[in-house]
Amino acid sequence: MAPLTSLTTALLFSSLASASTIQFNIARNPAAEEAQLTRRQLTNLYKRAGTVNVALTNAENQGLYFANVTVGTPGQNLALQIDTGSSDVWVPSTTASLCGNAKEGGCPNGAFNSKSSTSFQDVETNGFNISYVDGTGSTGDYFQDTFKIGGATLNNFEMGLALDTTIGTGIMGIGYNTSEANIDTGNGTEYPNLPLAMVNAGAINSAAYSLWLNDLQATTGSILFGGIDTAKYSGDLISIKVYPDSQGGRTTSFTVAFTSLSATSSSGTDQLTPANYATAAILDSGTTITLLPDDIATSIFEELGATVSQQLGAVVVPCALAENSGTINYGFGGTGGPTIKVAVSQLVLPLTLTNGRTPTYTNGQAACQLGIQAAGDLPVLFGDTFLRSAYVVYDLENNRIALAQTDFNSTSSNVVSFASQGAPIPSATTAANEDQVTQTATGVPKVGTTGTADGTAAATYNPTATGLNAANGFAATSTSTSTGSKKNAAGAGPEPFAWSRVVVAGVSLALAGVGGGVFTLL
Ligand SMILES: *[C@@H]1O[C@H](CO)[C@@H](O)[C@H](O)[C@H]1NC(C)=O
Ligand SMILES: *[C@@H]1O[C@H](CO)[C@@H](O)[C@H](O)[C@H]1NC(C)=O
Ligand SMILES: *[C@@H]1O[C@H](CO)[C@@H](O)[C@H](O)[C@H]1NC(C)=O
Ligand SMILES: *[C@@H]1O[C@H](CO)[C@@H](O)[C@H](O)[C@H]1NC(C)=O
Ligand SMILES: *[C@@H]1O[C@H](CO)[C@@H](O)[C@H](O)[C@H]1NC(C)=O
């Protein structure tokens, strides 16, 4: 696998000391009972008490989702990037040097002037600190102030104030309160973060929300706090477990069991994972692409005719692949769990060099970027190129995620609120065989070699033996395919970082001087 280090990649991560690993095995217990509930008949109400609906803007060329909020008294307008992979809301301060430096990008989505807010209270000086893997980050104070979002008002809401930051946009982390940054770097006390603060304010009944990111081409999606919208998905909404860290035993991220992957084209379906496959994956709206285990990524690259280009520092596909009618199908929670089909067209992202041009293959075809990469040393993260195709309900009270196939561009609405704090996800059924997927707590995960729960070694996947190859009906016409050898598809599992966020944006032209490549750059 070619190194992908030249991508514009920023990884938010917690202190490695607290990082732990998670592994899934499939227990060989076939007789799990199917618990199919009948979907309730629901009254069609546009707006329900106990929910807060917030429109999200899909920022052009950024692949990130922003929510409008106001902070302080009088309210100051900011757009914050919504992030299920972290747990603090933080805003850049107008005094941060980046915000005064337009040449470096400034703070285009707003900055907060604490001196102009009559309700501002500093609660922990220097308590806020999020560090990036490349040494960049945001630091400052924790403060409390009035926070308004989607018609809800939260008084004395606790946030980070980035007095020093290298990111010009505030982030709205809505993950578990066990991953708040101050637990590692501040006074270590959990505070009610956004979902809990909404419950405490009586705006919603339970710490839960539903994320509908919508089509790649659409400019808006939405997040519904405290409820689900049954008009925004098709098929059944099926819930699966969120797994705790194997070491700490605490639930700190939206880690679910990813249990199958297949690719469907006009010529049929290729299964890309072995039977009894399971690995941990984090659902992370703050990550723009999807990071798959290396071996599975290699299989996908072969299916789609993608090349890992060192010349471009990107996984490259012909832009014409966007016309392909195939799908990549992701399964969760074992057999009987939800399967989300991601259209190949949703995976073809623009590839723009810093000189504004689109690279072409030497045969003149336009080159695009694939919205899937190999995770390498990073955790397996299912970001926006997966999440757009799913309607996802995050239930922080019961540690469950419910998934259904999204209904792109839906204009209707049928909102159902959580009945009470800790109530189950409305309308969701439980994945029938999820109990067969068990978490093990020993060392670095190697599903294929450490064996299943009863001590039987799981079969090592050999795609050649299954007759899979790249000639599969995907109309890819790139110049070459990856020849990387496939090891055990299960591979190593992720290290769940407390603050997962990987932003893959444009491709730097720094490497464009490399000659003799298969791409024409100028
Ligand atoms: C957020 O606010 C900006 C500026 O007022 C506006 O243009 C945009 O439409 C708003 N976005 C949403 C999703 O409401
Ligand atoms: C933030 O945390 C990092 C990592 O723990 C540390 O190196 C750095 O000095 C801290 N920054 C501030 C301003 O406290
Ligand atoms: C730190 O502790 C103080 C009280 O000791 C509390 O008021 C404050 O909210 C805490 N800060 C954080 C970020 O938890
Ligand atoms: C943290 O989250 C858990 C689960 O939602 C909740 O029970 C607990 O009260 C929260 N703690 C704080 C301080 O809000
Ligand atoms: C959704 O709307 C966008 C923008 O109008 C359009 O480009 C796209 O094709 C639509 N998607 C579907 C699946 O209809």
Side-chain angles (χ1 to χ4, degrees):
M1 189 61 51
L4 297 168
T5 47
S6 53
L7 285 169
T8 310
T9 297
L11 170 69
L12 222 60
F13 75 118
S14 70
S15 97
L16 283 169
S18 68
S20 55
T21 56
I22 278 186
Q23 166 190 10
F24 295 106
N25 277 344
I26 305 240
R28 300 178 66 199
N29 170 12
E33 249 175 57
E34 196 147 327
Q36 289 288 353
L37 307 176
T38 321
R39 198 152 145 196
R40 271 173 31 196
Q41 286 293 89
L42 304 159
T43 44
N44 194 356
L45 295 173
Y46 176 67
K47 195 159 180 89
R48 279 290 283 243
T51 62
V52 174
N53 192 44
V54 182
L56 301 176
T57 304
N58 177 7
E60 214 181 329
N61 297 328
Q62 292 183 68
L64 301 171
Y65 289 81
F66 295 89
N68 286 345
V69 305
T70 71
V71 180
T73 311
Q76 301 177 32
N77 293 316
L78 289 99
L80 303 180
Q81 189 209 331
I82 191 160
D83 184 17
T84 61
S86 67
S87 301
D88 300 89
V89 174
W90 67 263
V91 294
S93 168
T94 48
T95 62
S97 61
L98 176 61
C99 295
N101 188 341
K103 252 193 249 163
E104 297 286 311
C107 293
N109 299 301
F112 179 63
N113 184 343
S114 59
K115 294 221 160 54
S116 304
S117 173
T118 55
S119 45
F120 173 83
Q121 285 177 282
D122 203 296
V123 296
E124 198 188 356
T125 305
N126 297 328
F128 176 67
N129 183 345
I130 286 180
S131 305
Y132 286 82
V133 74
D134 60 1
T136 63
S138 294
T139 59
D141 300 347
Y142 274 101
F143 73 107
Q144 294 179 352
D145 209 331
T146 304
F147 185 83
K148 293 188 182 177
I149 179 168
T153 299
L154 309 177
N155 296 313
N156 305 317
F157 176 61
E158 189 148 331
M159 293 163 266
L161 181 63
L163 300 170
D164 192 10
T165 182
T166 54
I167 315 166
T169 296
I171 289 177
M172 191 167 98
I174 50 174
Y176 284 100
N177 57 13
T178 46
S179 286
E180 288 163 0
N182 74 311
I183 290 165
D184 288 331
T185 61
N187 66 6
T189 318
E190 280 171 19
Y191 66 89
N193 67 347
L194 189 58
L196 268 306
M198 283 185 166
V199 173
N200 295 347
I204 60 175
N205 298 330
S206 201
Y209 46 83
S210 304
L211 199 51
W212 181 66
L213 296 184
N214 206 1
D215 194 282
L216 179 59
Q217 270 74 41
T219 51
T220 58
S222 62
I223 183 165
L224 178 68
F225 290 94
I228 70 162
D229 186 340
T230 65
K232 293 281 187 284
Y233 61 85
S234 60
D236 292 329
L237 187 59
I238 303 176
S239 88
I240 53 176
K241 285 178 200 170
V242 176
Y243 290 83
D245 285 1
S246 59
Q247 286 169 19
R250 302 209 305 170
T251 305
T252 56
S253 64
F254 295 113
T255 299
V256 297
F258 163 45
T259 51
S260 72
L261 188 75
S262 62
T264 300
S265 72
S266 50
S267 70
T269 295
D270 281 349
Q271 192 64 36
L272 302 179
T273 46
N276 287 355
Y277 178 77
T279 196
I282 299 174
L283 303 185
D284 179 16
S285 71
T287 288
T288 54
I289 55 161
T290 298
L291 299 174
L292 294 177
D294 294 2
D295 299 64
I296 292 185
T298 300
S299 304
I300 292 276
F301 298 165
E302 289 183 3
E303 289 278 337
L304 299 179
T307 46
V308 179
S309 167
Q310 285 174 299
Q311 187 189 9
L312 290 169
V315 180
V316 183
V317 289
C319 296
L321 191 66
E323 312 304 319
N324 190 281
S325 62
T327 61
I328 305 294
N329 318 306
Y330 296 83
F332 300 88
T335 55
T339 298
I340 303 299
K341 295 178 186 169
V342 177
V344 168
S345 59
Q346 292 286 316
L347 294 171
V348 181
L349 308 177
L351 180 57
T352 309
L353 304 172
T354 45
N355 65 1
R357 289 174 184 270
T358 296
T360 55
Y361 290 87
T362 44
N363 67 5
Q365 270 191 313
C368 278
Q369 185 168 195
L370 186 69
I372 294 174
Q373 291 181 10
D377 294 334
L378 301 180
V380 174
L381 294 176
F382 282 27
D384 297 339
T385 54
F386 167 79
L387 293 171
R388 269 191 283 271
S389 298
Y391 189 78
V392 187
V393 188
Y394 299 80
D395 178 355
L396 290 80
E397 303 274 359
N398 298 304
N399 298 331
R400 296 197 70 85
I401 294 270
L403 293 155
Q405 191 72 35
T406 196
D407 187 352
F408 282 133
N409 293 344
S410 165
T411 50
S412 55
S413 182
N414 179 33
V415 170
V416 186
S417 63
F418 280 74
S420 59
Q421 190 157 16
I425 299 171
S427 299
T429 60
T430 299
N433 303 311
E434 71 169 352
D435 289 343
Q436 291 177 36
V437 183
T438 57
Q439 188 181 13
T440 63
T442 48
V444 178
K446 289 251 191 292
V447 173
T449 54
T450 52
T452 52
D454 67 356
T456 312
T460 297
Y461 183 49
N462 181 347
T464 312
T466 67
L468 294 186
N469 59 56
N472 50 31
F474 283 107
T477 50
S478 68
T479 50
S480 65
T481 57
S482 167
T483 53
S485 70
K486 292 178 204 166
K487 298 174 302 235
N488 168 22
E495 294 186 5
F497 297 93
W499 310 316
S500 305
R501 180 175 177 267
V502 177
V503 176
V504 175
V507 167
S508 159
L509 199 55
L511 285 179
V514 179
V518 293
F519 297 101
T520 306
L521 303 172
L522 298 168

